[in-house]
Amino acid sequence: MALIELAGIERRFQLGDTTVNALAGVDLRIDAGEYVAVMGPSGSGKSTLLNLLGLLDRPNAGSYRLEGRDVTTLTPDEQAKVRSARIGFVFQSFHLVPRLTAAENIALPMMLAGIAPAERARRVERALADFGLANRADHKPDQLSGGQRQRVAIARATIMQPALILADEPTGNLDRHTGDEVVHLLEALNASGVTLVVVTHDPTLGARAGRQLVMEDGCLQHDSGRSAHAAG
Amino acid sequence: MRPADTLRFARDAALGTPLRTALSVLAMSIGVAAVVVLTALGDGARRYVVGQFSSLGANLVIVLPGRSGTGGFNPANAITTTPRDLTIDDAAAVRRAPAVKRVGPLAVGTSEIAFGGRLREVIVAGTNHDYFAIRGLEIAQGTALPDEDWNRGSPVVVLGAKVREELFGATPAIGQLVRVGDRRLRVVGVMKSTGQGLGMNTDEVVIVPAALAQAMFNTNTLFRILIEAKSREAIPEAKVQALEIVKQRHRGEEDVTVITQDAVLATFDRLLGALTMAVAGIAAISLAVAGILVMNVMLVAVTQRTGEIGLLKALGASARSIRLAFLVEAAMLSAVGAVLGYLLGQGGAFALRQAFPVFPAYPPDWAVIAGLSTALATGLLFGVMPARRAARLDPVQALMKH
Ligand SMILES: Nc1ncnc2c1ncn2[C@@H]1O[C@H](COP(=O)(O)OP(=O)(O)O)[C@@H](O)[C@H]1O
Ligand SMILES: [Mg+2]
C-alpha cells in the first residue's frame, strides 16, 4: 500500500534575481514499511524533499498524497495535527530543548498533543528503557553524549507511534561507532513496521537501506526501487 | 496543549534565562510599587487634611458676612473679615431654625493678656457656652463659658493650654484674675491642648463671652456664626433656614454667605483626590515602560528560541499552542512583577506610616486595583506581538537556526 505519493512536485526558491529549482518535477511513491535512503551531492534537494514529506514546507506545484489523502491543501494547523500523529523527525543536530531533561524532551510531542500526564509518564518510562536511557532520565542534554542525545531524539520521534520517520543525516554529527548504533536503532524501528526515510552522505550506510534514491539538481537521478514498482 | 502544561512550559522557559526574567520582573514591580507608594502618599495627604478639617466640628454650617459671588466655597471668604451686618441677635434668631441644634456666635480680635507681671499677645475669641460643644473643645480644668444670655458678657475667660502654661506655669489658674486688654477677667476654665492643626490653634487663644469681646473691640458685629445642624442629613436644611432667617432680618437682602463644612471638605477632597490621580498617572507611565521592557525581553526570547520554535512546530505544535506559550510567559513576568511590586509598595507605605505616624499613608483600593490590572494588561498587550511573531515563524527556516 502506498504511504507516500508525490506527483510533479516543484519547489523553487527565489535568491535575489535567480530562481533555484530545489525540486524539479519529482514523482515518487513509497510504500508503508519501506526503508529508503536518499543520497546525492550537497545542494541537490535532499533536505527540501524531506521537509516536504514532513509537511514542514509546501511545494510550488504538484500533489502530495499521504496515506491516500491530499495533504498539500490542508491548513497549517491540520498539517500540524498530521505531523503530530503520523510523522517523526530525527535531525542531524539533535534539536533537543536544552532546559528540559531527557525524559521531558521525549515527552514533548505528547505534551503538545495534550496527552494526559499519567499516560505520558508510562510511555516515557518504556521509551527510556527501550533506548537504554533509563539512568539518564533526569539529565539535561548538555550532560549527555552525542549518541545519547540522538537516542533521546529518536525516542522522541517514535513516542507518538508515527507511521513515518524522517531522518536528515542522523549520523552526521556522530563518530562511526555511535553512528552505527543509531542506525541500528532506526533499522529496528523499520523492522517493526515504521516507514523510514534517511538522508545520508555515507554510501555504506545508504547501501544498507532497502531502496536508494539519488538526487541531483532537484531531480531523482536514480531510484533503485523504480523497476520493482513498475513491475508490481 | 493542556493549560497546566502551558503554564509549566512558560515558567521553565522564563527560568531558563534568569537574569532577563529578573530584570523585567523588577521593572514591573518598581512600576507597581511606585503606583502604590505614590498614591498612598497622595491619599494620605488627602485624609490628613480632611481629618484636620473634620476636627473643626461635626455637621458644621458657617455664616459669614458679605456675599460670595459663586455661592461655593471661596478660600478668600474664610480669612478676610468683612465685619458688616452680622450681630449677636442674628445668631440668636438662627437658633430658632428647626434644623439647627446649636449656634455659636464668634467675634475675634487680638489683645494682650497679663498676669503676675507676665504679658503676652493673644487671640481673643468672643463666643458662648455652645461654641465649645460645636467645635468639640474639651475642658481640662474648670468649666466652659457659662450658659447665659448672649448679650450679657460676664467678665470671665477660658484659657488655651499654652496661654495658661506661659502665664501660670505650675501654679493653679482657675479663679485667678487676669487682665485682658483693659478688663480684669476671672479664669473659669482651661482647655485641653489640641496641638498643631489646620484650624485655629486653640492652645494660644483665650475665649470670653461674645458681648464682652464686642465691647472690648468696640464693635457690634460678628466674625462668624457657627451652626451645628441636628444631623448630617439636616445640613442642607440648616443652611437654607439660616440663610432665610438672616435674610429676613436684613430687610430681605442676601448680604451673608452660608457655607457648610461639607463644601469646604469636598473642595479639598476633590483637589487632593485629583492630585493623587495625577501622581498615579505619572507612576503608571513607569508601568507602560515596564510593559515595553517585557515586550523587548519576549522579542529577544523569540529570536533566541527560534530553533526551539521550529522544533515545536515539527513535533506537531499548533500556532495557537506556541502563541499561548509565549503569551503566558509574558503574563507571568508581569504577574510576578505586579505581585512583587504590590508587596514592595505596601511595605513602603507601611514604612511611611511608621516614620510619620500622623500621616495615614494607605494606598487607596482603586489605585491598587488599577496598578495591578495595568501591569497585567500592559504585560499581555506587549506580549501579543512577540507571541504572534513566534507563532508565524516558518518551521524550516526556524529549524535551520540552531
Ligand atoms: N530557504 C531557502 N532559500 C533559498 N534557497 C534554498 C533554501 N533552502 C534550500 N535552498 C536551495 O535549494 C537547493 C537544495 O537545498 P537542500 O535541499 O538543502 O540540499 P541538500 O539537503 O541536498 O544539501 C540548494 O541550492 C539550496 O541552496
Ligand atoms: Mg541537507
Side-chain angles (χ1 to χ4, degrees), chain B residues 305-324:
Chain B
R305 300 206 329 247
T306 296
E308 177 189 320
I309 294 163
L311 171 76
L312 293 178
K313 291 198 161 185
L315 297 183
S318 63
R320 186 172 167 276
S321 292
I322 291 171
R323 209 164 40 231
L324 213 60

Side-chain angles (χ1 to χ4, degrees), chain B residues 64 66-77 239 254 256-259 263 267 270:
Chain B
L64 20 145
R67 194 168 164 196
S68 130
T70 57
F73 172 68
N74 176 355
N77 286 345
K239 180 178 171 179
E254 206 178 299
V256 294
T257 304
V258 182
I259 59 171
T267 304
R270 265 203 310 279

